[in-house]
Amino acid sequence: MSLDTLIAGSYFLAAILFILGLKAMSSPAGARRGIVWAGLGMVLATVVTFFWPGMKPENLLLIGAAIIVGGVPAWISGRRVAMTGMPQMIALYNGMGGGAAAAIAWVELLRGGHGGEEFGWTVIALAVTGALIGAVSFSGSLLAFAKLEGWLKRSLRFAGQNVLNLVILLVAAGAGVLVIMGVSGPWLTVFIALALLLGITLTMPIGGADMPVVISLYNALTGLAVGLEGLVLDNAAMIIAGTVVGAAGTLLTQLMAKAMNRSLGNVLFSAFGETAAEGDEIEGSMKPVEAIDAAVMLGFARQVIIIPGYGMAVAQAQHKVWELAEALMKRGVRVKFAIHPVAGRMPGHMNVLLAEAGVPYDLIFDEAEINPEFPKTDVALVIGANDVVNTAARTDTASPIYGMPILDADKANNAIVIKRGKGTGFSGIENALFYEDRTRMLYGDGQAMCAELIRAVHEI
Amino acid sequence: MIDGFVALYIFMLAAFVGYEVISRVPVILHTPLMSGSNFIHGIVLVGAMVALGFADTTLEKVIGFVGVVLASGNAVGGYVVTERMLEMFKRSKDGDRDEE
């Protein structure tokens, strides 16, 4: 068997493993197996690539060194990061993939061909397109990482932002066309620099709560860039894996945007938050409650639904939340968890945190499954969630979140809201739920309050 | 060498596969899917290896080196965090089987 056949066969096997792995990841029970399969495919593809015919022996050393330089810190950081830090790590690793795709295009365009054959203009066009998408995903993801990590507190917004983005895109595209036409000069460098800049200016105005959509989008874009560079390199494994991810990621992005009842364009270009002050004034007052009273309400309930939000992640309260749920279940209370698709800072953020705390996934429900349950529920316990339970989304047409499907916490007999202070959520919108007659506010740090509730539940 | 149209067919079919694999997933699996697909596009590593493997000039080598560093960060980091997250998913009833 020749080396070519061995490599092509291994890539074929890797592609099968990726698809099977991804398929297995779409059910909770098989998910673990799925990532192991995909991992095997990756190791196989990487190992056989070292035997690619014609590569320069001295470059093989560089390759080995680069894998260690990139892989070892990634391994360590991936092992060490707390579960609450997952969104930014995923953004970071994803951005690296996009950057790699752009780097491939850059090298290939500098070389102008491989195997003694010059690239035709279609191949160059594919490389340029992939480089643009990859570079945007790279710098955009890195900025998303910086924002999620808390290095960048404010979202920079100014008038004419979209116009500026469009101008950068057009100039970058122009430089790209010059590259494709083979015009000599610094156009390739200009093109790459502008593409990187575009990723930054696109991501700059996007606020924290829209991050699930953005991370998911950049994931899809990196996949697409990898698929395009696969076409340039005639590498079927890259074409298949990249394109599968591109398509799957696009679908996931649409699901995220739909869960917020907004279009993708609206998420990217609307500079959410500036309109926030326009919502109706809410009449009434917020009614505080003491932990002991809240514990009585919870302890004597038949059914409690817990609604976690980003605040739970910030307070690292997931373990205490599960401890509280267990204490309640021991008393015979039925406890369920309701998770809104866009709660937190990445798709499924809350699921991961609850899973870390040991909450079995069959106690966790999404919005469509759980909403009919609220009228039969005694207490809805809201922990660090805000906009996803705001009833203004149903009634207030002036509210920026109007039309977003929410969790019907207000339809439970009572709602208890654990919240750090009286301020508004990320969007600056007053939450109508907090002013309802049947809502009680338990002010304090999520973790500390859960601990108090646990103590109180044990006492009653 | 893959013929132009064959490559295009692969591209199209792969897009449908991606769409089909993901189309009916519960919300609880958005994380594994996103994180897992984030890992899978780490296959860009093999492309970066080839690009660096054939690099001639110093500039090409530098960019190629950066490409491989980034790509292996994507693949390794993506695997580690996905595996860590999926490890935690378990079920309450007859669940001991899933735990390791």
Side-chain angles (χ1 to χ4, degrees), chain B residues 2 7 26 32 37 39-41 43 51 56 61-63 65 70 74 78 84 95 98:
Chain B
I2 310 166
S37 60
F39 162 67
I40 286 172
H41 65 52
I43 190 66
D56 293 314
K61 283 182 188 170
V62 170
I63 302 167
F65 188 85
L70 292 174
N74 180 182
R84 270 184 67 193
D98 291 334

Side-chain angles (χ1 to χ4, degrees), chain A residues 11 18-19 22-23 25-28 31-32 35-36 38-39 42 45-46 49-50 52-56 59 62-63 66-67 70-71 74-75 78-81 83 86 90 93-94 96-97 99-101 103-104 106-108 110-111 215-216 219 222-223 226 231 233-235 238-241 243-245 247-248 251-252 255-256 346-349 351-352 355-356 360-362 366, chain B residues 1-4 7-8 10-57 59-61 63-93 98 100:
Chain A
Y11 282 3
F18 288 152
I19 292 171
L22 203 56
K23 182 75 199 157
M25 276 184 249
S26 53
S27 102
R32 180 81 190 283
I35 185 68
V36 173
M42 189 72 73
T46 310
T49 304
F50 273 103
W52 193 284
M55 294 206 297
K56 297 191 177 63
N59 287 6
L62 282 178
I63 293 175
I67 289 178
W75 180 275
R79 278 269 143 221
R80 285 204 183 146
V81 63
M83 280 299 149
M86 280 300 166
I90 290 178
Y93 300 141
N94 175 53
M96 293 172 93
I104 292 172
W106 200 350
V107 173
E108 293 301 311
L110 282 172
R111 289 166 49 82
I215 294 180
S216 178
N219 184 39
T222 301
V226 171
L231 289 169
L233 294 173
D234 284 335
N235 187 319
M238 281 172 72
I239 301 176
I240 293 171
T243 313
V244 166
V245 172
L251 184 63
L252 198 56
L255 289 176
M256 297 280 100
M346 70 172 176
H349 194 182
N351 295 315
V352 172
E356 185 202 14
Y361 58 74
D362 45 8
D366 67 22
Chain B
M1 182 75 199
I2 310 166
D3 186 69
L8 209 57
I10 296 177
F11 193 75
M12 175 200 71
L13 291 172
F16 278 107
V17 168
Y19 204 83
E20 280 304 314
V21 163
I22 302 259
S23 53
R24 284 171 298 272
V25 240
V27 177
I28 181 165
L29 285 158
H30 284 172
T31 316
L33 279 170
M34 198 189 58
S35 171
S37 60
N38 180 27
F39 162 67
I40 286 172
H41 65 52
I43 190 66
V44 70
L45 176 58
V46 301
M49 287 169 75
V50 172
L52 176 56
F54 285 97
D56 293 314
T57 65
L59 180 61
E60 287 171 23
K61 283 182 188 170
I63 302 167
F65 188 85
V66 171
V68 177
V69 168
L70 292 174
S72 46
N74 180 182
V76 174
Y79 183 84
V80 172
V81 296
T82 308
E83 209 262 344
R84 270 184 67 193
M85 284 194 276
L86 289 176
E87 213 175 14
M88 301 178 315
F89 280 81
K90 53 178 184 265
R91 168 207 309 267
S92 61
K93 299 151 210 160
D98 291 334
E100 278 165 28

